Amino acid sequence: MGQGQIHRSLLSGRNVMETPGALGIDYIDAARLLPWLATSGAHPLAVISYGAPVPDPLGCPVLTLDLPQLDARPMLEVWTSRTPVRSHHHAGLSVSVNGEMLAGFLHAEEEPGISLEVTTAGAYRRLLREIRELGYPHLWRLWNYFPRINEERAGLERYRQFCVGRYDALADSLSDFPLSLPAATAVGTASGPLQIYFLAGVTSVTHVSNPRQVNAYDYPASYGPRSPSFARATLYRRDHGTQLFIAGTASVVGHASQHPGLPVEQTRETLTNLRALLRQAEPLSEGNISGSPGVYKVYVRHPSQLAAIRRTLRDPLFESSRLLFLQGELCRQELLVEIEGLVTSDC
Ligand code: 3EB
């Protein structure tokens, strides 16, 4: 199928604005996915597996990340829309749209002899072209996954190579760069291609800084030749509420990593960073962000530290929230834990 055909069929789905939409993220017991989908009334944008088996066929993109789940029963992550969804797949890129937002999933194999920097820049250029052509030009949220994130290659850590490619593509073609950069995550998988997941929208969003942290796009050059391109959080305000997309948040104050080697202290520092971010977002939100339910993903570098990290996270901040624990490598060697989230408030 040619790309032109894909675009026309997705564009024709843009008449579905009857009810206010929001991204739903649910964690569903793998064995219960089909009955859940049949009864929830939600339209799936995608299903993400961390190793749990996925029933077939689902009629929406199914993605797999090699980030082993560390707790509880095997769960599937389901992204849903309240309004009908159209999905298409073409040459490593799956896209689901509902007239309001676009969920995209891009897989780029790393070819021998081609640097991660070049692979990343190519993937980002394609992503940006695609969202513009489909009429969802505003980037809302980005997730980046690739293996061996801390490995040094040709004198530069792979995370830093990734940052160069991402920066080059975004700085070239994102208007109002770097202020328009959305919240993001970059985590190392145990295996697999470069996987970039993204949300984009018809309307613009508001990006939020963390008063305890330097904006990542202003990090000094000691962290790499090009700064990491992301915002600490992104707010999507709807008619009847707000969604806050919280970027990967770690034990970083100013621009410096805190508490090397100490998982409990890093977890506490991360909680303090999350509280500061929520306070910053509160006056910009419709409804009450701090008291609203969230879904949080906790990336843990060493499974042996899970119990201590988990204990430290028994905190009122997560009172009405769901936490999923995954094993992943974080983009600075000394970081042991990182937390991202999505908080949805209705008013
Ligand atoms: C930090 O604060 C921790 O490069 O996209 C967190 C979230 C981090 C996203 C990214 C990096 C990224 O710098 C690392």
Side-chain angles (χ1 to χ4, degrees), residues 1-9 88-91 126 130:
M1 198 197 295
Q3 270 190 322
Q5 278 169 289
I6 286 178
H7 293 170
R8 268 193 302 282
S9 62
H88 278 279
H89 180 84
H90 177 71
R126 179 166 179 211
E130 201 80 20

Side-chain angles (χ1 to χ4, degrees), residues 144 159 162-163 166 184-186 213 216 219 228-230 232 247-250 252 331-332 335 338:
N144 305 279
Y159 172 63
F162 159 83
C163 282
R166 173 173 62 173
T185 294
Q213 299 184 303
Y219 280 174
S229 306
F230 71 97
R232 299 298 177 184
T249 304
V252 172
C331 63
R332 292 184 189 183
L335 293 177
E338 187 174 302

